[in-house]
Amino acid sequence: MKKLIVLLLVCTLALPLFAGGQRDAAPAPAAPVVEEEFDLEALIEAAQAEGELVAYFTSGRIDAVGNLFEEKYGIRVRGTKMGDPEQAERVIREVDAGNVQVDVIGFEDGPLLETQLIPRGYVQSWVPPDLKDVISEEDQNPLVFLWQPRIFGYNGEVYADGSPVNNVWELTEPQWKGKILIRDPGLTPAHLGFFASMITNHQMLEQAYVDLYGRQLVTNEENAGWEFLKRLFQNDIISFRSDSDVGDAVGSAGQTDPPVGFYVLTKHRDNAAKNLSLTTMQGLQPFMGYALPTYALIVKDAPNPNAAKLFVHFILTEGHYPWTGRDIGAFSSNRTIPPHPLNEGTWDEWTQKLLPVDNVQAMRMRQDIMDFWLEYGAN
Amino acid sequence: MNQPSSKDRTPILRIERFQNWLRFIRYEPIALVAAIVTVLLTYLVLAPVGSMLVDTVRVQIRDSATTGLEVGSYTTYFLHRVFVSRVSDRLFWTPLARTLIIASVVTLAALPFGAFLAWLTVRTDLPGKKILSSAMVIPYMLPSWTFAVAWLNIMKNRRLGGLPSIAESFGFSPPDWLAYGAFPIIVCQALHLFPFAYLLFGNALRSVDSQMEDSARILGAQKGVIARRIILPLLKPALLSAFLLTFSRVLGSFGTPYILGSPVRYLLLPTALYSSFQVGTPGVSAVIASVTILLGMSLIALDMYFVREYRRFVTVGGKGSMSRLSALGKWKWPAIIFAGLAFIITTIIPLVTIILTSIMYRPGVFSLSNFTLDFWFGRYISIMPGQQGLFLNQSIIAAAWNSFRIAGAAAVICGITGLFVGYVVVKMPNSKTSAFLRQVSFLPYLVPSIGFAAACLSFFAVRRGPVPSLYGTLTLLIIVMSIKYLPFASRSGISAMMQMGNEPEEAARVAGASWGKRMSRIVIPIQKHALITAIMLPFISGMKEQSLVIMLATPGTEVMTTQILRFIEYGFSQLANATVLAIVVIIFFVTFLMERITGSNLASGFSRS
């Protein structure tokens, strides 16, 4: 009985601990957001009046960019490399709790962004008005700051005479069984978008089939896209943890019968450092891979909204160097920034060879494709 | 309403009784301690776990995106998808069956291996056992995936392409079953997890009083009878704890099964869970996590079933005890060879692999020009622009300090809480409170870090009554890490208190010592070693923790594990390996210091040695 009384007492005292939870009194009003008439100087001034900027980015280069930003504006950037799912969970939960810590994110899961995060107001896409003319219309909503080709590549040391694969249907043939490496689709939402795009663009695959084999494809699946995916998955494709691991496995020197792989073009920077022979499958029909965007977004109720804007402005201008100048493989959405000389062409040229991903469509099909992967890809 | 309630009748008596009780509690405040510990754990453990369980039927935003269901609505969709849909075989049932089998085999391998090594180092005259007893904990200090990565370096075949593995460079191409999937997962997990068994059995063996064996022998018992009727029952608590910790760890560990399973797409429960979380169906991962939790809870129920029996085998009484060593005799050399091999396989090979990869430009190329100390001391590293060697690398040094502070603070909190949990559980053996604490204090061990961290974020991001919003502070990380690793401390606390009889405390009580005095002068000194283990195991795990930190650290509070991730991402594997080694060195150094200061060692934590 005594125990019970004490327990009851303690429980009553503790009740508010479990109750809905109160938000702290509204934080000091943030500095007014600079809008309308864009004045970079005013933005800089407002940004410098704020605190340290917090950024979650999918790319580890956020560190280098942060240092450049601090050098230039004296604003410290606390950048963390973080995957899309963690970023999404954190932003959603921070905003819901009314305790936002992060200002700006660099995010790759376009489908989630366009169907949920932006419509629900968790993040906001902001295009610096003075850059509106140098960024293509389609990169502005939501704002893309970085484009990367994610492509098929092979070992150029072994296949010195050129790509061993010229048509994606060849990848479904027995000679490539167990020799196609890819970052685990079960961990890579962007790949699911690529697969969705194959299905919506199934005519391309149908035509490619005719081009290769000289006859029409016969399939029980809904269309050539599903059929291609099924055959690809069933050809014992091998999942890796990261594009780096794929690149290393495909490109390492001294192999006799190397696999082919699917990875971001940026991995070609390792050719020198790790003595790899990664080579792109230029001319692969009907596509070489897909266009992978990275979006820059400002989080709702960001504690440092002006610094966030200035940072977005920065990564679209000189702050782009660590991504596009130092290493190869990425393209700024700011068209006045020239591509790296080793990028094998301009972004416009690349887009001709890559499948675009329709974010809304990709999200609609994500679950079905995931199931398809589980059914034919898992063991 | 016409029956007179007891309240109306005896208000004065009630107050008196309450006053009496208050007086009593100063001497026997077990109920108060129980209440405090219960409330604390309910708040810190059940609330986040509960909120995660709710996610099995409630649609979150990311779920809504993939399923089209409305956010916040309730649905059986996730349950349906996991248990009875077209993909449930691939997504759940097959991985579940595999996971259970693998966990059983790992446990069956790790327990006897650890127990035998423990017996060798505690109860025999094996030469060099001092070194062995310190070294046997090292495998647990390494991040679990290092074994998997080392396995691939040694055993992978052409299926994964890339540089040849060591086996291949000797002209042997390992078959797929040897290189990937179930077999290597079992071996690597067993090698990583046997220290649990080693530590627990070691401690239990140490506290077995040789006088009991002597008495039995004098009474004419055969060796077999002594082993079966005396030694084994005394080891039962250790056996159960080791079983519980090992088995549940396999249920929840992601790294090793992922690295070794994905080349042949061998999906286990933790991999399925992680994948569901990553591609945006947290509801499905919540369901899988709940199954993991249920499995774990049934294991604890099993454990509790045996709890009454423990009570009869108090080994730390008020009397002296002695521990005699068995002479190995003609088995000396086989034992030395066995222990030596165990030492080499579990400790030397992984460590040397890591050291080598941190001093070579290109792995596997053994020419003098390929060796360098730049990754340790270099101001500039030619192949890693912008990075300095470990000792000059400000970001690693800052991260090391953060790791140490967070893991250290959490470990101390864990240790003390764990001891109190143990105290309450054992002093109130048949109460509901005891059962409740046993279950709840073990729960965090079973919850996947990533889901737990997400739940904690939501829960602690708002102010709740007197508790301010903790999200964004280092305090939150420390609290969450204390919760996550409390199970080590509470297991250690329970096992240790179990072996301590009532005599010492009763003697003090008779002499009129207050509860505080009894705790500080009797219980805690006797349990000093258990306390050390209860602090060190969480510390070791905390230094290695990754998922929790990724979700909850506010940017800038980089810790060593997140640095490692970053280095791996860049392909700076040498720096990553150097950082792994630094973690091991820090853990080892701290352990060593603790041993020196307290005069105990980690391997003796669960009892008086």
Side-chain angles (χ1 to χ4, degrees):
Chain A
M1 196 61 215
K2 300 161 209 152
K3 266 184 270 170
L4 198 72
I5 292 173
V6 169
L7 254 167
L8 274 174
L9 207 78
V10 175
C11 285
T12 331
L13 283 175
L15 243 163
L17 297 182
F18 299 93
Q22 306 151 338
R23 290 178 186 186
D24 281 313
V33 175
V34 181
E35 242 350 309
E36 306 304 322
E37 283 295 300
F38 185 71
D39 177 355
L40 187 59
E41 289 308 314
L43 180 64
I44 294 171
E45 211 171 291
Q48 284 170 338
E50 294 172 344
E52 289 180 347
L53 182 80
V54 176
Y56 307 153
F57 270 62
T58 46
S59 160
R61 265 165 281 197
I62 182 66
D63 270 354
V65 180
N67 291 338
L68 292 177
F69 187 73
E70 185 175 357
E71 255 169 50
K72 175 148 188 186
Y73 297 113
I75 300 168
R76 176 116 192 255
V77 179
R78 291 189 173 275
T80 301
K81 179 193 151 56
M82 198 185 288
D84 289 321
E86 287 87 4
Q87 279 194 33
E89 285 289 314
R90 283 185 79 144
V91 167
I92 291 168
R93 288 171 189 267
E94 286 185 12
V95 171
D96 282 348
N99 181 357
V100 178
Q101 301 281 328
V102 58
D103 297 296
V104 58
I105 61 171
F107 194 70
E108 284 175 14
D109 191 353
L112 184 66
L113 190 66
E114 281 204 46
T115 59
Q116 302 289 332
L117 297 185
I118 288 181
R120 291 181 185 276
Y122 284 97
V123 295
Q124 179 196 0
S125 166
W126 178 79
V127 183
D130 60 330
L131 298 176
K132 280 211 158 103
D133 297 334
V134 295
I135 300 171
S136 343
E137 193 87 1
E138 58 266 29
D139 291 350
Q140 295 196 9
N141 190 29
L143 175 70
V144 174
F145 80 97
L146 190 76
W147 281 105
Q148 295 183 76
R150 207 176 221 155
I151 41 123
F152 284 102
Y154 64 97
N155 188 314
E157 184 192 39
V158 173
Y159 298 105
D161 301 334
S163 174
V165 182
N166 296 304
N167 185 311
V168 292
W169 284 99
E170 290 172 44
L171 295 169
T172 66
E173 293 173 1
Q175 76 263 27
W176 293 108
K177 193 172 176 69
K179 297 187 60 155
I180 304 159
L181 315 184
I182 188 170
R183 185 166 188 250
D184 192 344
L187 302 181
T188 320
H191 282 357
L192 305 181
F194 175 45
F195 299 154
S197 187
M198 286 184 193
I199 290 160
T200 44
N201 293 296
H202 58 93
Q203 307 89 341
M204 286 171 94
L205 283 162
E206 224 170 285
Q207 186 55 45
Y209 188 89
V210 175
D211 292 347
L212 182 64
Y213 300 112
R215 58 190 147 79
Q216 285 292 328
L217 171 75
V218 184
T219 174
N220 293 326
E221 296 296 332
E222 209 173 295
N223 61 43
W226 287 109
E227 179 66 29
F228 174 76
L229 285 178
K230 181 171 157 186
R231 293 193 192 179
L232 184 71
F233 293 167
Q234 285 180 332
N235 214 22
D236 196 10
I237 103 176
I238 299 177
S239 315
F240 274 62
R241 268 170 304 165
S242 69
D243 284 11
S244 291
D245 290 348
V246 173
D248 290 354
V250 171
S252 283
Q255 304 191 68
T256 51
D257 192 15
V260 295
F262 191 68
Y263 52 80
V264 281
L265 181 61
T266 309
K267 296 304 155 201
H268 282 228
R269 71 173 176 220
D270 295 340
N271 275 348
K274 295 188 189 168
N275 191 22
L276 307 180
S277 315
L278 291 175
T279 315
T280 56
M281 286 189 188
Q282 286 290 352
L284 182 68
Q285 290 301 320
F287 44 72
M288 287 176 67
Y290 68 99
L292 174 71
T294 311
Y295 302 89
L297 303 142
I298 296 171
V299 179
K300 184 188 180 188
D301 301 329
N304 308 295
N306 292 306
K309 285 186 169 179
L310 186 62
F311 191 73
V312 171
H313 189 275
F314 184 69
I315 59 175
L316 282 164
T317 52
E318 62 195 282
H320 221 278
Y321 177 77
W323 278 292
T324 55
R326 194 179 71 192
D327 291 330
I328 69 169
F331 297 85
S332 174
S333 61
N334 177 348
R335 286 150 174 267
T336 62
I337 296 178
H340 194 284
L342 294 175
N343 270 10
E344 303 185 25
T346 64
W347 182 243
D348 281 340
E349 286 163 348
W350 269 105
T351 52
Q352 305 301 311
K353 308 167 190 171
L354 301 173
L355 269 186
V357 174
D358 177 337
N359 284 336
V360 175
Q361 184 67 18
M363 189 45 102
R364 201 170 297 143
M365 300 173 66
R366 187 176 274 187
Q367 186 86 74
D368 287 340
I369 292 171
M370 195 58 219
D371 288 356
F372 206 67
W373 162 251
L374 273 175
E375 195 164 346
Y376 295 108
N379 197 348
Chain B
M1 273 324 225
N2 45 9
Q3 65 200 51
S5 93
S6 61
K7 253 186 216 143
D8 305 329
R9 220 168 36 186
T10 56
I12 294 165
L13 201 74
R14 301 222 129 241
I15 291 168
E16 263 174 16
R17 268 167 66 183
F18 187 68
Q19 283 170 336
N20 273 338
W21 183 73
L22 278 182
R23 232 168 278 135
F24 168 72
I25 228 160
R26 284 194 10 234
Y27 281 91
E28 201 49 69
I30 180 79
L32 190 66
V33 175
I36 291 171
V37 174
T38 307
V39 170
L40 209 65
L41 287 193
T42 309
Y43 183 56
L44 293 174
V45 178
L46 277 196
V49 170
S51 96
M52 209 197 67
L53 290 183
V54 171
D55 289 341
T56 58
V57 289
R58 201 187 53 195
V59 181
Q60 294 183 62
I61 286 176
R62 293 205 296 138
D63 284 317
S64 163
T66 39
T67 59
L69 297 164
E70 204 175 312
V71 175
S73 63
Y74 289 86
T75 176
T76 55
Y77 172 82
F78 309 121
L79 297 168
H80 180 266
R81 182 171 161 79
V82 170
F83 296 126
V84 288
S85 75
R86 181 168 71 104
V87 290
S88 41
D89 247 1
R90 304 262 172 171
L91 183 65
F92 179 72
W93 294 110
T94 312
L96 173 71
R98 282 176 184 159
T99 308
L100 289 178
I101 293 170
I102 286 192
S104 311
V105 179
V106 168
T107 313
L108 278 179
L111 257 49
F113 185 61
F116 185 60
L117 281 170
W119 179 75
L120 279 182
T121 51
V122 173
R123 280 310 188 102
T124 70
D125 57 353
L126 182 79
K129 61 182 194 175
K130 270 239 159 73
I131 300 170
L132 196 65
S133 82
S134 305
M136 283 298 109
V137 197
I138 293 180
Y140 188 68
M141 295 179 182
L142 297 164
S144 66
W145 46 263
T146 48
F147 286 89
V149 170
W151 185 274
L152 283 190
N153 286 338
I154 296 169
M155 284 295 185
K156 77 167 185 179
N157 57 25
R158 283 301 86 203
R159 189 176 167 82
L160 289 191
L163 293 169
S165 64
I166 293 175
E168 283 179 314
S169 54
F170 280 103
F172 168 64
S173 179
D176 278 357
W177 68 264
L178 182 61
Y180 324 107
F183 180 75
I185 292 176
I186 290 169
V187 174
C188 288
Q189 299 264 46
L191 287 181
H192 179 57
L193 297 177
F194 86 88
F196 285 142
Y198 172 78
L199 286 176
L200 286 155
F201 278 108
N203 296 322
L205 279 172
R206 234 175 286 263
S207 71
V208 172
D209 190 345
S210 297
Q211 293 172 49
M212 296 191 210
E213 289 167 76
D214 295 346
S215 318
R217 204 170 299 123
I218 292 164
L219 292 171
Q222 301 291 308
K223 266 196 170 164
V225 177
I226 296 177
R228 207 173 61 245
R229 302 284 297 276
I230 295 186
I231 307 289
L232 266 183
L234 287 173
L235 294 184
K236 214 146 123 201
L239 177 77
L240 281 162
S241 279
F243 168 75
L244 201 58
L245 287 175
T246 312
F247 195 93
S248 355
R249 177 46 63 95
V250 181
L251 288 183
S253 76
F254 163 75
T256 305
Y258 186 75
I259 292 168
L260 293 169
S262 61
V264 285
R265 279 168 284 126
Y266 187 80
L267 218 54
L268 293 185
L269 221 46
T271 358
L273 182 149
Y274 190 72
S275 169
S276 308
F277 182 83
Q278 292 287 321
V279 292
T281 45
V284 169
S285 41
V287 174
I288 301 179
S290 309
V291 173
T292 314
I293 294 175
L294 274 181
L295 283 173
M297 288 181 73
S298 49
L299 290 179
I300 305 175
L302 193 78
D303 174 62
M304 279 159 60
Y305 174 77
F306 290 100
V307 68
R308 283 176 206 152
E309 281 181 58
Y310 299 171
R311 293 289 302 160
R312 284 193 250 131
F313 304 118
V314 166
T315 53
V316 183
K319 298 182 284 289
S321 96
M322 51 195 284
S323 161
R324 200 176 309 110
L325 302 181
S326 315
L328 281 166
K330 64 176 174 180
W331 291 104
K332 186 173 163 194
W333 279 105
I336 290 177
I337 291 168
F338 176 84
L341 274 178
F343 182 50
I344 289 169
I345 291 170
T346 62
T347 312
I348 299 293
I349 291 181
L351 276 184
V352 167
T353 318
I354 297 173
I355 293 172
L356 276 180
T357 41
S358 73
I359 54 171
M360 290 164 91
Y361 284 114
R362 291 186 56 209
V365 181
F366 287 91
S367 69
L368 202 59
S369 65
N370 190 43
F371 283 90
T372 174
L373 285 177
D374 279 1
F375 303 113
W376 290 91
F377 302 101
R379 197 159 286 285
Y380 303 100
I381 301 173
S382 54
I383 61 169
M384 296 175 190
Q387 292 293 341
Q388 299 84 39
L390 184 125
F391 285 108
L392 301 172
N393 199 315
Q394 285 311 315
S395 51
I396 299 182
I397 293 167
W401 173 231
N402 280 338
S403 284
F404 179 78
R405 275 194 299 176
I406 296 171
V412 172
I413 296 175
C414 264
I416 294 168
T417 319
L419 207 63
F420 279 114
V421 170
Y423 187 76
V424 172
V425 164
V426 174
K427 297 285 161 177
M428 307 171 73
N430 299 321
S431 68
K432 290 232 167 61
T433 318
S434 166
F436 177 81
L437 284 184
R438 261 169 178 268
Q439 288 278 4
V440 170
S441 67
F442 198 72
L443 263 187
Y445 192 72
L446 305 161
V447 185
S449 282
I450 200 153
F452 190 62
C456 286
L457 197 168
S458 281
F459 194 73
F460 293 111
V462 284
R463 191 161 72 89
R464 288 173 193 280
V467 182
S469 159
L470 291 171
Y471 180 63
T473 63
L474 215 58
T475 318
L476 175 62
L477 261 179
I478 293 171
I479 290 179
V480 173
M481 215 176 254
S482 320
I483 307 170
K484 176 77 187 161
Y485 295 118
L486 178 64
F488 290 125
S490 64
R491 289 312 299 183
S492 148
I494 293 171
S495 304
M497 291 293 180
M498 214 105 194
Q499 290 182 325
M500 192 179 85
N502 275 329
E503 298 164 37
E505 230 195 310
E506 265 159 20
R509 194 182 295 138
V510 169
S514 70
W515 183 76
K517 198 155 224 166
R518 284 186 338 252
M519 279 310 271
S520 65
R521 303 292 289 274
I522 310 247
V523 178
I524 290 177
I526 287 181
Q527 300 297 5
K528 187 175 72 179
H529 303 279
L531 190 62
I532 300 297
T533 303
I535 289 174
M536 287 316 294
L537 279 182
F539 178 73
I540 294 172
S541 302
M543 289 291 290
K544 301 190 302 176
E545 178 60 54
Q546 211 163 54
S547 329
L548 274 179
V549 179
I550 283 183
M551 281 301 280
L552 292 173
T554 26
T557 42
E558 284 279 353
V559 295
M560 295 177 96
T561 47
T562 53
Q563 282 293 339
I564 292 173
L565 272 190
R566 183 168 293 182
F567 290 144
I568 289 175
E569 173 78 8
Y570 273 126
F572 295 172
S573 55
Q574 294 91 339
L575 269 184
N577 279 305
T579 313
V580 169
L581 215 55
I583 293 183
V584 176
V585 169
I586 292 177
I587 295 174
F588 203 81
F589 182 72
V590 172
T591 314
F592 180 78
L593 217 64
M594 286 287 258
E595 289 175 5
R596 273 296 139 103
I597 292 171
T598 60
S600 72
N601 71 51
L602 189 54
S604 72
F606 288 78
S607 72
R608 205 160 59 130
S609 49

